[in-house]
């Protein structure tokens, strides 16, 4: 049967067998078609308001692509199965806060896992993971990261076991993540096309983010180097000069930064 009250949908082996009958496919090959469970629930006259999906201890090896369309999920329990690969599409579940993949056969993790910024619990114990993608460092809301039972380097495992180990490990991964060489180009918005002899001009409005506000507390998904004013001031000034705007409006500029950097540099151009 399906337990689908208000929060949690628990799928039993009996339900899997019923879905298998409808799909006429091997349970071991497909093993999961959430759309089938949803249809079954509606047919039984139940309202599906679940935000948690529990499919643990079912011997699952593969997923239906439909699983990654359930963007309302906040918790997904896939522990104690036979999963060897986690597809990049898992990052579609942007509301997920709890993901349990412990006791499976995972050998690697997709870098897209680092895009799931609402994750608070990520349980990966007892798999075959040898490397962690540096992108995991972006998970600034993660409070619980379980890695025991994986053939990771002793350094990473030890760091994870320390006091505040999750935060220390995430900081290490984030600071090791290679930043792009140059920021993406910003598109200009054209208010009025040049016509005839009318004069045109460009206006640049730029929030440079005050140094006092660029902290790890507010921007935990950014590497320390990206938050450093010494790094940012060079990039900011380069972008301002490269765009050659007629009028420049800067926001969050501290008085000291204005007089010692912006006024001095821009007065020369």
């Amino acid at each position: 049967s399906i337990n689908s009250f208000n929060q949690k949908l628990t799928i039993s082996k009996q339900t899997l067998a019923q879905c298998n009958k409808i799909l006429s496919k091997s349970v071991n090959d497909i093993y999961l078609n959430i759309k089938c469970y949803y249809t079954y629930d509606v047919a039984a006259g139940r309202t599906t308001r679940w935000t948690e999906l529990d499919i643990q201890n079912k011997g699952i090896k593969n997923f239906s692509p439909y699983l990654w369309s359930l963007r309302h999920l906040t918790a997904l329990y896939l522990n104690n199965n036979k999963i060897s690969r986690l597809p990049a599409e898992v990052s579609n579940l942007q509301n997920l806060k709890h993901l349990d993949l412990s006791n499976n056969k995972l050998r690697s993790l997709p870098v897209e896992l680092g895009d799931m910024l609402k994750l608070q619990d990520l349980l990966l114990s007892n798999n075959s993971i040898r490397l962690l993608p540096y992108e995991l460092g972006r998970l600034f809301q993660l409070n619980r990261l379980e890695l025991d039972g994986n053939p990771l380097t002793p350094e990473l495992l030890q760091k994870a076991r320390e006091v505040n180990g999750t935060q220390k490990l995430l900081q290490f991964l984030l600071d090791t993540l290679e930043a792009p060489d140059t920021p993406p180009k910003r598109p200009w918005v054209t208010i009025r096309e040049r016509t005839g002899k009318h004069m045109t001009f460009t206006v640049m409005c730029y929030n440079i983010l005050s140094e006092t506000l660029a902290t790890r507390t507010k921007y935990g998904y950014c590497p320390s180097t990206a938050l450093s004013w010494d790094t940012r001031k060079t990039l900011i000034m380069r972008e301002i000069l490269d765009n050659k705007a007629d009028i420049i409006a800067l926001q969050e500029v501290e008085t000291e930064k204005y007089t010692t950097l912006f006024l001095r540099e821009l007065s020369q151009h």
Side-chain angles (χ1 to χ4, degrees):
S1 62
I2 298 179
N3 297 322
S4 176
F5 299 102
N6 287 326
Q7 295 296 327
K8 192 169 186 177
L9 175 66
T10 303
I11 297 174
S12 70
K13 288 188 176 180
Q14 181 184 355
T15 304
L16 288 170
Q18 290 169 333
C19 284
N20 176 49
K21 204 171 189 179
I22 295 171
L23 295 170
S24 299
K25 294 181 180 179
S26 168
V27 171
N28 286 331
D29 289 338
I30 298 298
Y31 225 102
L32 179 61
N33 192 305
I34 303 300
K35 196 167 187 177
C36 176
Y37 308 143
Y38 176 82
T39 304
Y40 181 82
D41 216 22
V42 172
R46 285 189 288 267
T47 304
T48 54
R49 298 176 182 173
W50 41 271
T51 57
E52 301 182 7
L53 182 59
D54 185 341
I55 324 174
Q56 55 181 312
N57 296 300
K58 302 296 184 294
I60 293 174
K61 296 179 180 179
N62 302 303
F63 303 103
S64 162
Y66 188 78
L67 175 59
W68 316 122
S69 70
L70 301 178
R71 293 178 172 83
H72 62 285
L73 289 180
T74 60
L76 180 58
Y77 301 86
L78 296 171
N79 47 303
N80 298 296
N81 283 297
K82 298 179 181 179
I83 303 165
S84 60
R85 178 182 173 273
L86 186 66
E89 288 77 12
V90 67
S91 63
N92 293 341
L93 306 182
Q94 285 293 309
N95 289 308
L96 212 61
K97 296 180 180 179
H98 182 98
L99 177 58
D100 191 346
L101 287 160
S102 56
N103 299 297
N104 274 288
K105 297 183 178 182
L106 291 172
R107 295 185 293 273
S108 62
L109 299 171
V111 298
E112 289 80 4
L113 204 58
D115 296 330
M116 303 175 68
L117 300 182
K118 291 186 179 181
L119 268 183
Q120 298 176 8
D121 303 303
L122 179 57
L123 313 185
L124 300 168
S125 300
N126 301 316
N127 277 280
S128 300
I129 302 168
R130 294 182 176 276
L131 295 172
L132 295 178
Y134 295 135
E135 286 77 5
L136 288 187
R138 295 175 179 157
L139 302 178
F140 67 103
Q141 297 197 66
L142 201 64
N143 297 316
R144 186 179 170 200
L145 176 60
E146 295 187 357
L147 297 168
D148 284 338
N150 285 286
L152 294 164
T153 63
E155 178 188 8
L156 289 179
L157 289 174
Q158 179 58 37
K159 194 179 292 288
R161 292 172 186 146
E162 294 176 4
V163 178
N164 296 324
T166 294
Q167 300 310 316
K168 291 178 181 178
L169 182 55
L170 292 179
Q171 182 67 57
F172 168 76
L173 293 172
L174 187 61
D175 288 342
T176 311
L177 180 63
E178 186 175 345
D181 294 333
T182 56
K185 292 287 185 181
R186 302 176 193 267
W188 283 88
V189 178
T190 301
I191 304 300
R192 179 181 296 177
E193 295 289 348
R194 182 191 295 267
T195 57
K197 298 181 179 179
H198 292 157
M199 182 184 71
T200 62
F201 59 91
T202 57
V203 179
M204 176 185 235
C205 184
Y206 200 156
N207 186 322
I208 67 165
L209 183 58
S210 169
E211 183 180 11
T212 58
L213 298 178
T215 63
R216 283 282 302 168
T217 303
K218 286 193 172 185
Y219 301 96
Y221 49 86
C222 291
S224 300
T225 52
L227 294 174
S228 166
W229 176 248
D230 287 338
T231 301
R232 293 197 302 117
K233 69 179 182 182
T234 303
L235 297 174
I236 291 170
M237 188 55 64
R238 183 190 304 164
E239 186 170 16
I240 292 174
L241 295 176
D242 286 349
N243 279 289
K244 299 178 181 178
D246 298 304
I247 300 173
I248 301 171
L250 300 177
Q251 302 173 32
E252 292 191 20
V253 182
E254 300 167 29
T255 302
E256 185 266 337
K257 299 293 188 300
Y258 174 73
T259 55
T260 61
L261 176 63
F262 294 102
L263 181 61
R264 186 188 70 225
E265 292 291 330
L266 295 177
S267 62
Q268 299 177 22
H269 297 273

